[in-house]
Amino acid sequence: MNKSKIWLSSPHMGGNEQQFVKEAFDANWVAPLGPNVTGFETDLEQYLADDVFVGALSSGTAAIHLGLVLLGVQPGDEVLCQSMTFSASANPIAYLGATPIFVDSEPETWNICPNALEEAIKDRISKGKKPKAIIAVHLYGMPFKVDAILTLANRYEIPILEDSAEALGSSYQGKKCGTFGALGVLSFNGNKIITTSGGGALVAHSKALKEKAVFLATQARDAAPHYQHSEIGYNYRLSNICAGIGRGQMEVLDAHVQLRRKMHAFYQSELDSVSGILVFTEPSTDFYSNHWLSAIVIDPKKTNGKTRETLRLAFEAENIESRPLWKPMHLQPIFEKYPYYGGTLAANLFENGLCLPSGSNLTDADRSRIASVLTHFKN
Ligand SMILES: *Cc1c(COP(=O)(O)O)cnc(C)c1O
């Protein structure tokens, strides 16, 4: 095949990343600490809100793991988790020997359903165990129903671990995603809206909590000249090299959000009038998605039997990557034995949904290759 590959979401450098990395080499800060780590954290804090404290970590998964540790999750505890998500949202529950309790999504944001969540909370409490935390996800950059979910979290006094790995640059009622939970999680993996090649962050609302996170992320060393430990530690700090990439990426984050949103607008103009195809879009102006990935749902009853798989294979034949939506956790072999609350919404999204190429680095030529596959599918 001689047509170059069009990816779902690939790294897009802004230009100054190498300069920050070079500074790290020049000063010999080739370690999981240094000026780029501090600088990247400051950039993120300034971007997100006035009152947040960010700890840069080696991955978003590490941030979820540490977040659960900081929320006091212990072996045997229960943790509520949006089922429709990437496995990294749920795996750290298992790392801690806790039990995931999965919850269905609602149709507007595809994120955790307030009704199913309340049903789950009440039922777990009636069975004698109050869940320790709620992991809510802003899927594909779409904010979850923040007001409704926060109301439940406050009513039942269960903290939210806000998985904002896909939603840096998104906001709800003008407030940035990542800042709503007791703790927030960001990811800078290679496919995310900005990347440090690999990395993540924990967003806290007090300096003390951030410092505790950094302490645990650097092997929980007590203040002593020798190595002294009173707690279990982790090696989860971000490298100063990777943080240099992050500082360069922060300079172009807003521009990249606009470019991702342009891809979403492109799909709307191509597909909005097509019967049987729904382009995943904000339900109201309260929601502002970075549209990290543009996604659609196909109803084969209205497309003469053409399914999302028909379209996926048509893209594949043209060397264009597309991908089914996340397979819900309660349907995964490793997680299917755990309790699940809700109906079939997440399962149906998985069955009929497709993520489309969404990178901020796609060109007009890429868009016309994509458009010709879509045109063929429509006819
Ligand atoms: C990417 C992602 C993570 C994990 O982040 P890593 O940096 O890859 O460990 C967690 N949750 C969601 C929803 C993600 O998309």
Side-chain angles (χ1 to χ4, degrees), residues 166-242:
E166 301 177 0
L168 181 58
S170 299
S171 52
Y172 178 79
Q173 292 180 347
K175 239 185 113 182
K176 290 270 169 23
C177 289
T179 65
F180 296 107
L183 288 163
V185 167
L186 303 174
S187 166
F188 315 113
N189 206 339
N191 59 350
K192 297 288 157 65
I193 192 146
I194 65 165
T195 181
T196 59
S197 73
L202 200 58
V203 182
H205 295 274
S206 78
K207 191 157 184 274
L209 203 52
K210 174 205 161 155
E211 283 171 354
K212 178 82 196 212
V214 170
F215 167 77
L216 293 174
T218 48
Q219 308 288 21
R221 248 190 99 183
D222 293 342
H226 56 279
Y227 277 77
Q228 167 99 3
H229 306 276
S230 318
E231 282 182 75
I232 294 293
Y234 304 85
N235 182 6
Y236 278 173
R237 200 69 164 124
L238 185 65
S239 126
N240 194 55
I241 301 299
C242 296

Side-chain angles (χ1 to χ4, degrees), residues 41 78 120 123 158 218 241 266 314:
E41 288 176 342
E78 294 188 347
D123 192 54
I158 305 173
T218 48
I241 301 299
F266 160 76

Side-chain angles (χ1 to χ4, degrees), residues 59-61 64 85-86 88-89 137 163 165-166 187-189 192 199 326:
S59 71
T61 311
I64 294 172
T85 186
F86 177 46
S89 303
V137 188
D163 183 345
E166 301 177 0
S187 166
F188 315 113
N189 206 339
K192 297 288 157 65
W326 298 126

Side-chain angles (χ1 to χ4, degrees), residues 80 114-131 152 155-156 158 341:
L80 295 154
N115 299 334
L117 177 61
E118 183 159 32
E119 185 202 337
I121 294 172
K122 284 183 172 162
D123 192 54
R124 298 324 292 177
I125 292 175
S126 79
K127 290 188 160 66
K129 231 175 207 170
K130 181 169 152 179
L152 289 175
R155 182 180 305 154
Y156 293 97
I158 305 173
Y341 292 84

